Amino acid sequence: MATKKLYYEDSHLERFTARVISCDQTDKGFEIILDATAFYPEGGGQAADTGILGGASVLDTRERGEEIIHLCDRALEPGSQVEGQIDWEPRFQRMQQHSGEHIVSGILHRRYGCSNTGFHMGQERTVIDFDGVIPAQALPEIEAEANRAVWANLPVKCWYPTPEELPSVHYRSKRALPWPVRIVEFPGYDCCACCGTHVKSTGEIGIIKLFSAVPFRGGTRIEMACGCLALSYLNRVLESSTQAGHVFSVPPEEVGAAAEAFSEQLAALKARTVELQRRTFAAIAKEYENAGDVLRFEPKLDSTGLRELCDTIAQSCGGRAAVFSGEDGQGYGYCLAARQGDLRQLGKELTAALNGRGGGKPNFQQGRVAATQAEIQQFFAGK
């Protein structure tokens, strides 16, 4: 028995009453079929509805042939009348995203002749793949046109043309579809074959925000959000900008310029720090001039600093340089360097004796050991 699809008759229907046709237990729960339902099954890039059905939780909704399967956490009596209530907020958010996607896809189809080849609604944003190249710099103009469609509050028309009418309906579709075909139209912006649920008028979408357009598989991938999800995103961005504004002592709208100025200052400071570090390393290396083999512990060096200090000492000492940086309990990073000779055997012995790992070239070894300073000193005492 085909399930009557109430979500097509009224996409805003939150509560309904229906009769239980069957209830079958599975390893995932109870599969319940009704004579009618407002629960939308997963399909066309739109997630399935959840909610409550006769006191049971609807965990998932799927379409199987002409029947709609409600996966519930407990059984319902076949033949009984039950009341269903869908989780309205996520459903409405999905309708906003889906309707917004149609408007954007219609605009891009008209402007660039490209088709929508992939569509996924996530928890925070919607991803759409197109088979044409869409320049990222065109996004503001596309977004403005899409929002003009929203603010015009156009009526959204969903209908099934008759077999005689269908050939004269010009609609977007990746392939020819046999009758019956459900058509969703946003006047002046899009007309498309679609099985999803939509808002009744474009004003319900609220706002359309386009985030990015990046090359993807020879076409373009666009990320966007509409309505509730767009507002949530913009609120998060404002909160972050306000926090950053407090750090930079500027209003939120000036954070970008302040961050750019700070980045320039930081780059200059980093260059100055690198120069001072090189001078410091040169002074340290001078202490070991012609000293032969050297073991040096230097605090708070990153891997780059370790390499540079070790190499500088190796150029001065005339022997082998071993530089360690770290602290007991957390381990030490190390570098071994020499102008002559092969350090690979020493590196293997070092990592084996001090619970470490590393490697490199014959005249340069780098890695990390889980040992104390005393243990490291004891190892080199015999080398």
Side-chain angles (χ1 to χ4, degrees):
M1 176 181 177
T3 306
K4 188 176 182 181
K5 300 172 181 178
L6 301 176
Y7 47 82
Y8 281 162
E9 297 181 3
D10 182 0
S11 64
H12 288 59
L13 183 64
E14 299 180 52
R15 293 175 177 269
F16 67 98
T17 301
R19 184 168 60 89
V20 178
I21 300 301
S22 65
C23 177
D24 296 313
Q25 187 171 6
T26 71
D27 57 352
K28 295 182 179 180
F30 296 87
E31 291 187 346
I32 294 172
I33 299 175
L34 308 174
D35 63 350
T37 187
F39 284 87
Y40 179 79
E42 181 180 18
Q46 183 174 332
D49 284 337
T50 56
I52 301 297
L53 186 60
S57 294
V58 178
L59 310 174
D60 195 10
T61 312
R62 290 284 186 272
E63 191 168 18
R64 187 170 63 197
E66 293 298 314
E67 299 172 333
I68 306 298
I69 309 298
H70 308 77
L71 183 65
C72 297
D73 65 349
R74 67 181 183 84
L76 295 178
E77 184 68 27
S80 63
Q81 291 287 120
V82 293
E83 182 179 272
Q85 180 176 354
I86 66 173
D87 291 330
W88 175 246
E89 185 174 340
R91 156 69 89 78
F92 184 64
Q93 288 180 357
R94 292 177 194 129
M95 293 199 301
Q96 287 181 317
Q97 311 317 305
H98 205 159
S99 296
E101 175 270 320
H102 271 251
I103 292 174
V104 171
S105 293
I107 292 172
L108 294 179
H109 183 73
R110 185 184 74 247
R111 288 190 176 211
Y112 299 99
C114 57
S115 296
N116 178 328
T117 59
F119 169 49
H120 172 71
M121 282 186 276
Q123 293 294 320
E124 296 185 347
R125 57 186 61 191
T126 293
V127 176
I128 322 170
D129 296 331
F130 295 92
D131 60 7
V133 176
I134 302 161
Q137 58 268 29
L139 284 192
E141 185 179 345
I142 296 166
E143 181 182 272
E145 183 177 355
N147 280 293
R148 285 195 292 272
V150 172
W151 302 329
N153 199 28
L154 303 169
V156 179
K157 182 181 179 182
C158 303
W159 85 103
Y160 286 92
T162 65
E164 295 74 26
E165 292 173 330
L166 186 59
S168 64
V169 178
H170 300 288
Y171 62 93
R172 283 193 302 115
S173 176
K174 293 186 284 292
R175 62 184 186 277
L177 300 173
W179 186 87
V181 178
R182 183 171 180 264
I183 301 296
V184 178
E185 182 178 8
F186 297 78
Y189 289 89
D190 190 43
C191 187
C192 182
C194 180
C195 63
T197 56
H198 291 275
V199 297
K200 291 184 177 180
S201 59
T202 58
E204 291 183 65
I205 300 171
I207 188 173
I208 295 174
K209 184 63 190 172
L210 304 183
F211 299 135
S212 62
V214 298
F216 182 75
R217 294 181 180 175
T220 305
R221 168 166 285 183
I222 283 183
E223 289 191 327
M224 60 179 284
C226 303
C228 302
L229 297 188
L231 178 61
S232 176
Y233 169 80
L234 293 173
N235 282 337
R236 293 196 304 272
V237 170
L238 178 59
E239 183 180 359
S240 296
S241 297
T242 300
Q243 291 174 352
H246 291 157
V247 174
F248 293 124
S249 298
V250 297
E253 62 271 20
E254 296 180 13
V255 164
E260 186 174 353
F262 178 77
S263 179
E264 292 173 357
Q265 295 171 6
L266 188 61
L269 181 60
K270 183 177 180 180
R272 177 62 175 162
T273 301
V274 168
E275 178 59 27
L276 290 174
Q277 182 173 265
R278 285 175 179 167
R279 293 182 185 182
T280 301
F281 290 171
I284 292 173
K286 192 171 180 60
E287 298 176 15
Y288 298 108
E289 192 170 1
N290 300 319
D293 292 344
V294 171
L295 173 62
R296 173 85 183 198
F297 290 88
E298 190 69 24
K300 299 180 180 179
L301 291 182
D302 60 14
S303 59
T304 301
L306 262 174
R307 285 197 306 271
E308 291 186 358
L309 177 57
C310 190
D311 187 61
T312 304
I313 293 176
Q315 293 180 44
S316 176
C317 71
R320 176 195 68 214
V323 179
F324 288 77
S325 185
E327 57 183 272
D328 291 359
Q330 296 187 5
Y332 289 80
Y334 73 85
C335 279
L336 308 176
R339 299 276 72 81
Q340 295 179 345
D342 191 330
L343 298 172
R344 286 177 292 185
Q345 183 59 37
L346 177 63
K348 289 180 181 179
E349 294 174 5
L350 173 69
T351 53
L354 300 179
N355 190 27
R357 58 188 178 86
K361 300 177 181 178
N363 64 345
F364 185 86
Q365 297 282 302
Q366 187 169 9
R368 188 167 188 84
V369 295
T372 65
Q373 181 171 334
E375 289 169 337
I376 296 169
Q377 290 171 327
Q378 184 178 3
F379 172 82
F380 279 96
K383 301 295 180 180

